[in-house]
Amino acid sequence: MEVLLIRVTSKGQVTIPKNIRERLGISPGDEVSFVEGDFGVELVASGEDSDREGRLRQFDAALKKYSGSLRLGMTTDE
């Protein structure tokens, strides 16, 4: 994972580095989303792929929430 320090301007703007824009397929005029998570904020490019990624993130969060809570009526000892 690449970690970059990017300064925020007085208007709250940031510049997305060229290599990241290219990797995510972000072009001038495209929209991006800032997704807040447990460990910070994630920048997500808009479009079909980001919608899919958003749904996968929500599904993953739900799985973690209920992890270990399934009760089938019998224990392994029974």
Side-chain angles (χ1 to χ4, degrees), residues 10-75:
S10 61
K11 293 183 179 183
Q13 299 171 330
V14 296
T15 300
I16 303 169
K18 183 178 179 181
N19 63 330
I20 294 175
R21 291 191 316 263
E22 289 174 346
R23 192 175 329 138
L24 295 177
I26 299 171
S27 300
D30 287 351
E31 293 183 345
V32 296
S33 299
F34 290 89
V35 181
E36 187 175 0
D38 292 338
F39 301 104
V41 177
E42 181 178 5
L43 172 70
V44 180
S46 295
E48 283 184 36
D49 288 341
S50 65
D51 291 342
R52 179 178 172 273
E53 289 174 10
R55 289 191 306 273
L56 287 173
R57 259 193 306 282
Q58 289 174 344
F59 181 70
D60 185 55
L63 286 178
K64 287 178 184 174
K65 179 179 177 182
Y66 296 107
S67 177
S69 65
L70 181 63
R71 300 277 182 220
L72 298 176
M74 296 179 72
T75 67

